[in-house]
Amino acid sequence: MPATRTTGTAGAARTPSPARPVTGRRRRTFEQANRRLKWAMLTPAVVFVGLMIVFPLVFTLDLSLTDAFGAVNADSSPIGLRNFGDALGDTRRFWPAARRTLVFTVGAVVLETVLGLALAMLMRKPFTGMRWVRTVLIIPLLATPVAIGILWLLILDPTNGIANHLLEAVGVPRQEFLGSVGQSLPTLMLVDVWQWTPMMTLLLLAGLATLPEEPEEAALVDGANAWQRFRYVVLPMLGPTLATALVLGAVDALKTFDILYATKGAGGGSDFEVETLNVYAYGLTFDYQEYGSAAAVLVLFTLFIIGVVVLLRRRGGRKNA
């Protein structure tokens, strides 16, 4: 029986047709719709965050140009830049508070960075009990600053605090700690270091985990010791992460208020020994009800924070270049 011959038309009918290619016009339309959808999803959040940031800034700036006193909604008159002039000319409270803010920030950030980097390098390689060490390390981050302030106030009590009992056990004389005008600021700086060094450690540890191993292995083959590998290989590669950690640490130290107020109270102590710009502005607002002057101090403080952040970012970018 002769084989049945399949016609070209039938064969073509059985062959599946290729998929229609996506034209450039259709692709552009899809991308435009995707971008619009993204903006539609993001717009409510952007507007909300913008209002939450812009409105307080504008309101504070407007308040700083008035003689508002007694109540925020009380009648006030515009006085221009007089509040700023009074603040910048105040050598009794404003400038000492600015100096303490700078000293507290620099000291805390330097200690947190050094200790955080040391702990991160120690925990870079796995070891027995590493999970427990990390768990204990983050405990200070879990407590609120006010609770930490009260806790350390009890520990550092000059009479009954455990700190002085431990010092006496090793032959060191009792210290006044928070009861001393000269020791209060360094003591609270160390408390801040105790609380925020774990955050610095975790940031730097995450940065170390992303570094490639080949450059350090090559330096080891070339005969570099541990310090040389850290100084000339690890530290330069860790530069971007270190710069980010410094900025975050500086901003956090600049806005410290809870611990200072919880331990020393209004005015930062009897002699204003721990009064930073935060504490000073709080006192002007709620103790003296000088809202115009307080707003001017907060505007100057905001400009100070922006200047510190810009300076750190520029120095970090110059080192990474």
Side-chain angles (χ1 to χ4, degrees):
M1 182 177 179
T4 304
R5 185 176 181 181
T6 304
T7 60
T9 304
R14 295 191 186 95
T15 305
S17 58
R20 295 175 59 186
V22 179
T23 62
R25 183 176 180 180
R26 290 177 60 191
R27 185 180 294 108
R28 286 194 299 271
T29 303
F30 176 77
E31 291 175 353
Q32 290 174 358
N34 191 29
R35 284 196 297 268
R36 290 171 183 169
L37 179 61
K38 290 179 180 178
W39 279 110
M41 299 287 286
L42 289 173
T43 297
V46 171
V47 171
F48 177 76
V49 174
L51 290 176
M52 293 295 292
I53 294 176
V54 174
F55 174 75
L57 288 176
V58 173
F59 180 77
T60 303
L61 182 59
D62 178 70
L63 195 64
S64 68
L65 302 176
T66 67
D67 59 353
F69 177 81
V72 176
N73 56 357
D75 293 335
S76 58
S77 304
I79 58 175
L81 300 177
R82 186 188 305 172
N83 288 328
F84 293 92
D86 293 341
L88 294 175
D90 183 7
T91 58
R92 179 174 174 267
R93 298 285 295 276
F94 178 81
W95 285 111
R99 179 185 60 80
R100 294 187 201 100
T101 304
L102 184 61
V103 171
F104 182 90
T105 300
V106 173
V109 172
V110 169
L111 289 176
E112 289 166 10
T113 303
V114 173
L115 293 176
L117 185 56
L119 290 173
M121 290 297 296
L122 289 174
M123 294 190 295
R124 187 183 183 188
K125 302 296 183 181
F127 58 88
T128 304
M130 183 175 181
R131 183 175 302 177
W132 290 102
V133 172
R134 290 188 176 183
T135 302
V136 172
L137 186 67
I138 65 174
I139 288 178
L141 297 176
L142 303 179
T144 61
V146 173
I148 289 175
I150 296 175
L151 172 66
W152 280 99
L153 193 61
L154 296 174
I155 293 174
L156 300 174
D157 183 83
T159 304
N160 300 315
I162 190 175
N164 273 323
H165 289 295
L166 294 177
L167 290 178
E168 285 185 330
V170 296
V172 179
R174 284 178 169 265
Q175 303 295 318
E176 291 294 326
F177 293 119
L178 297 176
S180 168
V181 173
Q183 293 181 0
S184 293
L185 190 64
T187 300
L188 290 175
M189 189 187 304
L190 294 178
V191 173
D192 187 82
V193 170
W194 174 83
Q195 183 183 11
W196 294 110
T197 295
M199 184 193 74
M200 190 72 70
T201 302
L202 296 177
L203 288 173
L204 296 176
L205 191 60
L208 288 171
T210 63
L211 299 183
E213 297 180 359
E214 290 79 6
E216 194 171 357
E217 291 175 353
L220 180 61
V221 172
D222 290 338
N225 57 35
W227 168 250
Q228 291 171 334
R229 294 197 303 272
F230 169 76
R231 172 65 180 85
Y232 298 105
V233 179
V234 175
L235 199 57
M237 291 193 297
L238 195 63
T241 303
L242 190 58
T244 302
L246 283 172
V247 171
L248 294 176
V251 171
D252 179 79
L254 283 169
K255 63 183 182 65
T256 299
F257 170 80
D258 314 67
I259 292 178
L260 304 179
Y261 195 85
T263 54
K264 300 295 292 185
S270 58
D271 198 33
F272 313 117
E273 56 266 24
V274 300
E275 185 181 61
T276 60
L277 288 176
N278 270 327
V279 179
Y280 179 46
Y282 180 89
L284 287 175
T285 304
F286 297 102
D287 295 337
Y288 303 106
Q289 297 182 338
E290 297 180 7
Y291 296 102
S293 299
V297 172
L298 289 175
V299 171
L300 293 172
F301 186 39
T302 302
L303 295 176
F304 179 70
I305 293 176
I306 293 174
V308 170
V309 171
V310 170
L311 178 63
L312 289 176
R313 294 299 297 176
R314 284 185 176 179
R315 289 182 64 87
R318 193 178 302 119
K319 289 181 179 180
N320 297 330

